[in-house]
Amino acid sequence: MNDSPGWATPGSSPSDGDRQGTPAGRPATDGGAQQPDRPTGDPKWSAEQPPPGQWSSPGATPPAAAPPPAAQPAAGWGQQPGTSYGGRYSYPGGPGQWGQAAAAKPGVIPLRPLGLGEILDGSVATMRTHWRSVVPITLVVATVIQVISVLVQKFMLSDLPLSSTEDMTAEEAIDSLGSTLAVSVVNQFIQVLGTIVVTAMLTMIFSRAILGQHSSVSDAWRDARPQLLRLAGLTLLLALGIILLGAVLVLPGALAGSVGLAVVGFVAWLPLIIWLGIKFSLASPALMLEKSTVIKAFARSSKLVGGSWWRIFGITVLTSLIAFMVALMVVAPFQMIGLFAFGGGLDSLEDGSAQSAWGPLIFSGIGLIIAQTIIMPIQSGVTVLLYVDQRIRREGLDLELARAAGIENYGTTGG
């Protein structure tokens, strides 16, 4: 039995009853008859088919008599001729020849299980093709984040003593540490709020880009707004879980003054939060695209990630490394300009004045705005496409996506 929910059309709010359960048959393409259940022994169909879901085909539906659009071939799966994936992807070719997977590509990805390159390429392709929607969202949010961050650092760190750490009194050291932690907390809070907005809106843009549809900024905001509070709650629960785990595992050793016990707790805490982070990494797109609750989104992510944890972990780590390298290449030149042209050079680093000088703060903020404008769409896109890929692999979501893209009879002839 397939109890997976259908993928909600952006802007719709399906009921729980519409999302769950598998009907006895699928609607026939002639608009009237009901097709019987497909036999599981038929090699052209996978044993488990998805429910109809809530995707609606955009535009006019092609007539039943019209032949299906030609599928766009996607090369390089490396399967032997005559084999199939999930019963839906055939590989033509004679003995000793390698075939190609026949899969439609209405948007930025082919409708079949995705490889690493296709996930990264789909993320970049969406940002490049739909830049009129993607760039304004990330640019505005990144600008707001950095403007607030610069002001916070300027006015909260400017009163700190500029003497070296060795010359500080105990009271000055405590004040310096407290101010630095306060700035870090405020900056992280602002960053989280901005990330929530960006994630919600970009998820909607990517969901339409998969179908080859355009989404404006106003469309993305209208579709994402009903789920924003739930997404904020989901993010808050994740953060609280990390903090509570740290308090349980690390804090007892720190309070007891036992460095060894604190280190042991940290060693246990770090891999645990990484494991949970990957386990629930698909909760955000599940929440937004399935119009579900926070608890159901966590459960869906856990189910989709199960059995593929290491693959998703590897792709996530690689994406983070790419984002870090891009940020480093973009931000470093601006930081150097701000430091040496307007911040007093290395002397300002030694005495600590660079952390509250206008020149280094402004130029560093400009570099971070540019970097975040590039990075946030890539990271959000990889997360959404990982969610889509897992649902294609496990639940045959490609059939629903094909119907939503207006491709009739997709999957009935191996394409």
Side-chain angles (χ1 to χ4, degrees), residues 231 234 238 279-288 292 294 297-298 301:
L231 183 60
L234 185 148
L238 283 175
K279 184 179 182 66
F280 298 130
S281 62
L282 305 184
S284 173
L287 178 80
M288 299 302 299
S292 65
V294 173
F298 279 126
S301 178

Side-chain angles (χ1 to χ4, degrees), residues 364-389:
S364 178
I366 293 173
L368 286 171
I369 289 172
I370 297 173
Q372 288 181 333
T373 302
I374 299 171
I375 290 171
M376 284 192 289
I378 295 177
Q379 292 180 316
S380 297
V382 168
T383 302
V384 173
L385 294 181
L386 275 173
Y387 165 83
V388 174
D389 175 57

